[in-house]
Amino acid sequence: MPLIELREVRKSYGGEDGAAAVEVLRGISLSIHAGEFVALMGASGSGKSTLMHILGCLDRPGAGTYCYAGRDIAGFSADELAWLRREAFGFVFQGYHLIRTLDALRNVEVPAVYAGLPAQARAARAAQLLRRLGLGERLENRPSQLSGGQQQRVSIARALMNGGHVILADEPTGALDSKSGAEVMALLEELAGAGHTVILITHDRDVAARARRIVEIRDGRIIADTQPAQEPSAGGPSAAPRAASPAALPSSGEFAARMRAGVGRTASAWMDAREAVASAWRTLGVNRYRTLLTLLGIVIGVASVIVMLAIGMGTQARVIEKMALFGTNRMYVVPGGDNARGLGGTLSESDVALLRPVPNVAAAMPFLQGQVTLRAGNVDAAARVWSVTPDAPRILNWKPVRGVFFTWQDERDLATVLLLGKKVRERLFGKTDAVGRYVLVNNVPFQVIGELAEKGAVTGDSDDDDVVLMPFSTGSRRVLGQTHLSWISVLVDDLSKADATEKAITAQLQAAHHVKDFRIYNQAAAVQAQEDTQNTLTLMLGLIAAISLLVGGIGVMNIMLMTVKERTREIGIRMATGARQRDIQRQFLAEAVMVSLVGGCAGVVLGLAIGAALIFWNVPLIFSVRAILGAFGCALATGLIFGFMPARQAARLDPVVALASE
């Protein structure tokens, strides 16, 4: 049974858009047995290259039958054809067709990469083949650093990487000088003698004469088929015993089983990913400047998202912090109904006790405000006095910057102690520390036990730093002489439940008073609305910054489309050596993701650096790990999404068209 059999194979090109079809092959019938050394000879345009493409499963016949080892390839899928090219064929081209970004060793390794051979094993085999062909000192040289003869030997080594049962040599000496050409022909003769099936395509009759069988083609037809006259005797100078005989060919069932196993077999996902990333890194490293320009869009996009969100969150925190001075999570219960003509109403300490058990109320404090005259030495000053409980630092978010706050024991003892606001302390004592000193409050001596932190908050015509704080019991009974409250300050736990808490307080007090003679000012609800507004603004900043990421993604897609066009021949080479469509797609997708990955990392570093500089200049920033991870993830997704179309376009290229590309 022949290894390769063609019956009435025809191939035409054109015939689209009303143009006439050009028939290149016109009923070719040919049988080639395992171990033969056949020369397909013909002038340019005779159809011999088209025939080689069909023989090597790079193209399909337009009509007729092509059987390999008894199997008709017409029913083979793209992956099955890729497996056949990978396992059965080795190509040696006139133009060498080496991948310019890879050195000699890695060029030879390419077929084994797609066969799933481990990296160490394929490197060892590739090195062995190159040393056997006299290139042991050139393993790390790229094609541009090799002579034509050396490049052709690398091409032969690549053809043998996976076994090279059938060597298809297309004008292998056409671009070589006579000496290099003779060396290449000697290698092909040696391979034929070792049992490889060698199919030589040439227009040179002298080169064809080196084969044992010459098939001459003219105008798409076979016009002559010269069989070998007599096999030389064993041991003769030209003895070339066939290592494979027709009997050694697998049966149809065995071949099908091997093909199914081969198509299904692939390297591990980790090995595939590692190889794709390594190859992408090498390729991007060759075009450094273009890669850096592509990276720039991703870097700016990621850095912008990180910095913008950090500024938004920092500004939000600063605003909330400022609002905290006025009580971000507080409510005020004030005497007096909603109707100005209704009952005035009063609030007492017993009302405070009613509010403390209300759900979501963290604390409730009586508040009595009045006006007093202070004297320290010969300095008099009028100031507001706030009579509060020791809950004040927590509820008012206002702590002493010097000294201490009064205690519950001071509250019970009606202690004559107080804390001064910053401006009151400056008027009475200047820049001197007032803690431990005494002042007269309406002629009653009080000891200063602390100075309050500066608020810098002005409400209406009053200044919150121009106040004096004293225990509620002392202020109400010994200084102001009244127990009716100015208002009740309520601290809430959860701002999102502020409205429900307000309703619960209203219900509690209305049940006790039997009338609604009070009003509630819900600061917490206002703060929640402000926080929601700030969140919206922060999101808007993030989305504006994300536009630069989108622009960077479009840049990645544009560069990858250009890369596909520039590397069309490389894609054809990879397909000729057994790459499947998904292998090509994974390769180009890995390159796009690699650009985004490196750009994402650089963008994170740049964003953090810019943020650090802004913090140094007192710009409010809060870096969010979630925002950083989100920006980095978006960069990766950008590479994946915008790299998919170019990768898919690369995977769908026709091998023959790709190989012919310049």
Side-chain angles (χ1 to χ4, degrees):
M1 181 177 67
L3 176 64
I4 294 173
E5 185 176 11
L6 281 69
R7 294 192 294 269
E8 291 297 320
V9 167
R10 295 178 179 273
K11 183 68 178 179
S12 299
Y13 293 106
E16 299 175 356
D17 300 327
V22 177
E23 193 172 24
V24 180
L25 298 180
R26 305 176 181 183
I28 295 286
S29 293
L30 177 66
S31 295
I32 300 174
H33 289 82
E36 281 196 275
F37 186 0
V38 181
L40 301 178
M41 192 183 74
S44 296
S46 62
K48 60 183 186 300
S49 293
T50 302
L51 180 58
M52 187 206 75
H53 292 151
I54 291 175
L55 289 172
C57 297
L58 292 169
D59 204 356
R60 296 176 187 261
T65 305
Y66 171 24
C67 294
Y68 181 88
R71 290 292 303 275
D72 187 352
I73 72 162
F76 285 13
S77 66
D79 281 355
E80 288 170 337
L81 289 176
W83 171 82
L84 197 56
R85 290 194 296 268
R86 183 169 66 242
E87 299 296 327
F89 295 102
F91 292 89
V92 181
F93 299 98
Q94 177 181 357
Y96 322 128
H97 284 359
L98 300 178
I99 299 174
R100 63 183 181 84
T101 58
L102 302 181
D103 58 29
L105 184 69
R106 290 196 172 92
N107 262 291
V108 175
E109 286 183 21
V110 169
V113 170
Y114 300 122
L117 195 66
Q120 190 173 357
R122 68 173 182 255
R125 175 162 173 75
Q128 179 188 14
L129 287 168
L130 287 170
R131 291 190 187 99
R132 175 182 163 191
L133 296 177
L135 295 173
E137 303 300 321
R138 299 285 187 173
L139 302 184
E140 296 181 358
N141 288 78
R142 288 184 180 168
S144 59
Q145 299 168 316
L146 299 172
S147 68
Q150 289 170 334
Q151 290 187 62
Q152 197 62 290
R153 277 184 277 169
V154 172
S155 180
I156 292 172
R158 182 181 62 193
L160 297 172
M161 186 64 191
N162 286 348
H165 304 297
V166 179
I167 303 296
L168 288 165
D170 183 13
E171 299 281 6
T173 63
L176 303 177
D177 57 51
S178 57
K179 181 182 176 182
S180 297
E183 290 175 352
V184 168
M185 286 307 303
L187 283 173
L188 293 177
E189 286 181 314
E190 181 183 340
L191 293 174
H196 294 272
T197 303
V198 179
I199 302 174
L200 174 66
I201 290 87
T202 183
H203 69 279
D204 191 329
R205 191 168 294 276
D206 292 334
V207 172
R210 305 285 290 271
R212 302 194 195 103
R213 176 184 173 190
I214 301 175
V215 177
E216 192 169 351
I217 303 174
R218 183 183 299 166
D219 297 331
R221 294 187 176 92
I222 294 176
I223 62 171
D225 187 348
T226 306
Q227 299 286 344
Q230 180 72 34
E231 285 288 340
S233 60
S238 300
R242 295 174 184 166
S245 65
L249 294 177
S251 67
S252 180
E254 291 172 341
F255 182 84
R258 282 171 51 187
M259 184 170 65
R260 282 195 300 271
V263 171
R265 186 183 73 248
T266 183
S268 66
W270 164 247
M271 184 175 171
D272 275 345
R274 186 176 62 181
E275 182 60 37
V277 168
S279 179
W281 184 260
R282 287 192 297 268
T283 302
L284 295 174
V286 172
N287 300 305
R288 291 185 181 89
Y289 294 112
R290 187 171 67 187
T291 301
L292 287 174
L293 290 174
T294 308
L295 284 174
L296 194 58
I298 301 296
V299 171
I300 293 174
V302 172
S304 298
V305 170
I306 292 173
V307 173
M308 286 293 193
L309 289 178
I311 291 175
M313 295 176 68
T315 304
Q316 177 180 353
R318 179 70 62 85
V319 170
I320 298 300
E321 181 183 350
K322 288 291 185 183
M323 292 185 69
L325 298 173
F326 300 97
T328 57
N329 55 345
R330 294 204 303 266
M331 296 182 184
Y332 298 98
V333 183
V334 181
D338 296 329
N339 188 345
R341 292 175 294 178
L343 296 174
T346 59
L347 295 173
S348 64
E349 290 182 77
S350 60
D351 293 322
V352 178
L354 288 174
L355 300 187
R356 284 173 179 151
V358 172
N360 199 41
V361 170
M365 180 182 73
F367 198 105
L368 182 59
Q369 179 177 254
Q371 195 78 13
V372 295
T373 300
L374 306 176
R375 172 174 290 182
N378 59 355
V379 178
D380 289 343
R384 288 179 300 140
V385 61
W386 291 357
S387 301
V388 293
T389 69
D391 283 329
R394 178 185 174 196
I395 294 177
L396 302 179
N397 192 26
W398 203 10
K399 295 179 176 58
V401 70
R402 294 191 186 94
V404 295
F405 209 85
F406 47 81
T407 65
W408 286 105
Q409 186 62 44
D410 294 328
E411 174 69 25
R412 287 189 290 271
D413 294 343
L414 278 73
T416 52
V417 294
L418 54 76
L419 290 91
L420 300 177
K422 181 176 183 293
K423 291 187 177 179
V424 176
R425 191 265 302 162
E426 289 176 346
R427 282 191 288 149
L428 292 177
F429 298 102
K431 295 183 179 180
T432 306
D433 185 357
V435 176
R437 307 281 291 273
Y438 283 86
V439 297
L440 295 177
V441 179
N442 291 348
N443 294 320
V444 178
F446 276 71
Q447 184 181 20
V448 179
I449 62 172
E451 180 185 339
L452 296 165
E454 183 179 7
K455 268 194 173 185
V458 178
T459 55
D461 297 328
S462 62
D463 190 337
D464 284 357
D465 287 325
D466 194 16
V467 297
V468 174
L469 267 62
M470 63 178 59
F472 176 79
S473 59
T474 305
S476 61
R477 292 172 176 80
R478 299 187 63 171
V479 177
L480 300 177
Q482 71 174 61
T483 57
H484 293 160
L485 308 181
S486 299
W487 62 77
I488 301 173
S489 293
V490 178
L491 181 69
V492 299
D493 274 326
D494 188 349
L495 287 177
S496 64
K497 300 178 181 178
D499 291 337
T501 305
E502 179 183 350
K503 292 178 182 177
I505 291 173
T506 301
Q508 189 82 331
L509 290 178
Q510 195 164 351
H513 292 199
H514 305 293
V515 65
K516 189 178 179 183
D517 55 351
F518 58 88
R519 298 189 304 277
I520 298 178
Y521 292 98
N522 191 347
Q523 288 282 93
V527 171
Q528 182 66 46
Q530 178 67 25
E531 189 171 354
D532 291 342
T533 301
Q534 287 296 128
N535 284 333
T536 302
L537 292 175
T538 301
L539 179 61
M540 184 181 70
L541 286 175
L543 291 175
I544 292 172
I547 293 174
S548 57
L549 254 182
L550 180 64
V551 173
I554 294 172
V556 170
M557 182 170 65
N558 185 42
I559 291 298
M560 291 308 298
L561 286 171
M562 289 176 58
T563 300
V564 170
K565 187 173 182 180
E566 290 176 357
R567 294 165 59 193
T568 301
R569 177 176 287 184
E570 176 189 330
I571 295 168
I573 295 168
R574 291 182 181 276
M575 288 180 169
T577 54
R580 295 158 295 189
Q581 288 186 347
R582 64 175 177 268
D583 294 322
I584 300 296
Q585 183 167 308
R586 180 171 58 238
Q587 172 63 40
F588 281 83
L589 204 55
E591 292 180 18
V593 172
M594 178 64 69
V595 169
S596 300
L597 178 66
V598 175
C601 292
V604 169
V605 172
L606 179 62
L608 293 176
I610 293 174
L614 292 175
I615 290 172
F616 180 77
W617 290 326
N618 294 321
V619 176
L621 270 88
I622 295 179
F623 286 113
S624 166
V625 175
R626 187 170 60 180
I628 293 172
L629 292 178
F632 185 76
C634 285
L636 285 183
T638 296
L640 201 61
I641 294 169
F642 286 95
F644 178 76
M645 190 177 78
R648 189 180 183 193
Q649 178 179 324
R652 292 188 170 187
L653 285 175
D654 183 278
V656 174
V657 175
L659 282 170
S661 174
E662 293 297 332

